[in-house]
Amino acid sequence: MSDPQASTRVLLVDDQPIIVEALRRMLASEDDIAFHFVTDGAQACAKALAVAPTIILQDLVMPGQDGFALLASYRAEAALRDVPVMVLSSKEDPKLKAHSFAVGASDYMVKLPDRLELIARVRYHSQAYQNGLERDEALRQLAMANRELQQLAALDGLTGIANRREFDAVIAREWLRGQRDKLPLSLLMCDVDHFKLYNDSCGHQAGDMALKKVAAVLTARLKRPADLAARYGGEEFVIVLPETDAAGAALVAEACRSHLASLALEHPHGVAGHVTMSIGVATALPHPADSPAALIARADQALYAAKTAGRNRVHAAPPPT
């Protein structure tokens, strides 16, 4: 039969019509086995790629085609690399067997084999191959699910940007890299001004929409893959700027502040709202007394200074002493 949906798909590669017909008859009564063949070894790989066999029955001696080279060519094709190949040889020769296995054969039988033994081996190798495909697919799906879970674990559930856990990991890593390579690292500590008042007057739904917009504004101002915007907690956000000095960080901070202040935010009841943001900027330099915690503390102190000075402004912390 030639049903492409059959659970076992056999491809016979043999130049002798009498062998092809004999094997076809052996397998014809098996409803779960689809039989395909090719008599020209040069077309074997193309035929195999077309029918996706679960097992290949392979002659070794064919005109103009080295059976061993053909075995190796299957293994060079990604789609055929693991397909079991059963060599059908006219000789019971231990050296031929050994070499067949060495170049990629899965089994070896002298033709014409016993029908029941042939069917048993065909089903065994085909099932083992398909089990391997299912296992590999399950592992691939598991790896994909794990990557998705890791990504979700690193994101803030409301805004979709990095969360506090991811920020902690990134700031620690980038601080160590900056110390090692003698590079500056800047941190922006951002706080939405009077957010409780905005929440109380506009409602929590509008507050959530505002926080999402703030996250979008911060993310849009970042131009490099290494830069990170994260939600620090509540209405506080942080931006990590590797290899950025104090002047460069101040420019990013001002761009974030001014853009947010100019926006009319969406409101669930159609009334536009406005929020502003105060930002503290701190820069770590290669310095023995510095640390990620000290950098965060300086940025937080600079943020407090910005809010004390009237809010909706950027304040830079002095470098560590």
Side-chain angles (χ1 to χ4, degrees), residues 55-58 84-88 107 109 118 121-122 125:
I55 185 170
I56 297 172
L57 307 184
Q58 167 74 57
V85 178
M86 182 189 299
V87 168
L88 295 178
D107 206 343
M109 295 187 77
L118 173 67
R121 293 197 189 195
V122 162
H125 287 299

Side-chain angles (χ1 to χ4, degrees), residues 28-179:
S29 62
E30 306 304 313
D31 292 338
D32 62 321
I33 298 178
F35 180 76
H36 305 269
F37 71 93
V38 60
T39 57
D40 184 352
Q43 300 176 6
C45 274
K47 184 71 171 179
L49 291 170
V51 303
T54 59
I55 185 170
I56 297 172
L57 307 184
Q58 167 74 57
D59 188 15
L60 283 181
V61 181
M62 291 174 285
Q65 179 66 59
D66 184 326
F68 291 121
L70 186 54
L71 272 168
S73 70
Y74 298 142
R75 300 315 180 212
E77 290 282 351
L80 304 176
R81 186 170 298 137
D82 299 319
V83 176
V85 178
M86 182 189 299
V87 168
L88 295 178
S89 175
S90 59
K91 298 180 181 180
E92 180 67 50
D93 185 329
K95 290 184 178 180
L96 282 178
K97 281 186 178 181
H99 191 56
S100 297
F101 290 129
V103 296
S106 305
D107 206 343
Y108 185 105
M109 295 187 77
V110 176
K111 58 182 177 183
L112 284 170
D114 175 78
R115 175 180 176 275
L116 292 180
E117 183 179 1
L118 173 67
I119 292 172
R121 293 197 189 195
V122 162
R123 284 191 174 132
Y124 170 80
H125 287 299
S126 293
Q127 189 60 57
Y129 168 65
Q130 292 177 93
N131 289 345
L133 292 180
E134 292 174 0
R135 180 200 62 230
D136 292 346
E137 177 60 19
L139 290 174
R140 188 186 72 82
Q141 294 288 347
L142 179 60
M144 185 183 301
N146 284 337
R147 285 194 298 271
E148 291 176 353
L149 286 174
Q150 288 173 355
Q151 290 174 351
L152 289 174
L155 298 180
D156 175 60
L158 174 65
T159 63
I161 64 172
N163 58 19
R164 172 68 179 273
R165 176 183 177 183
E166 180 68 3
F167 162 72
D168 288 341
V170 169
I171 194 68
R173 182 178 68 243
E174 291 297 339
W175 185 86
L176 287 173
R177 189 170 72 90
Q179 296 297 301

Side-chain angles (χ1 to χ4, degrees), residues 179-254:
Q179 296 297 301
R180 181 196 65 207
D181 298 336
K182 310 301 182 185
L183 296 168
L185 168 66
S186 289
L187 175 65
L188 277 54
M189 185 73 72
C190 316
D191 186 77
V192 179
D193 296 324
H194 301 298
F195 186 69
K196 183 178 185 304
L197 180 60
Y198 185 89
N199 248 346
D200 291 344
S201 60
C202 299
H204 288 282
Q205 186 178 359
D208 286 348
M209 294 173 69
L211 292 178
K212 292 178 183 179
K213 191 63 179 180
V214 169
V217 167
L218 298 183
T219 302
R221 303 277 78 73
L222 304 183
K223 306 302 181 183
R224 304 174 304 172
D227 299 336
L228 177 79
R231 188 179 180 194
Y232 194 69
E235 66 271 24
E236 282 191 304
F237 296 82
V238 284
I239 294 179
V240 182
L241 299 172
E243 300 182 33
T244 304
D245 60 16
L251 290 175
V252 175
E254 180 56 28

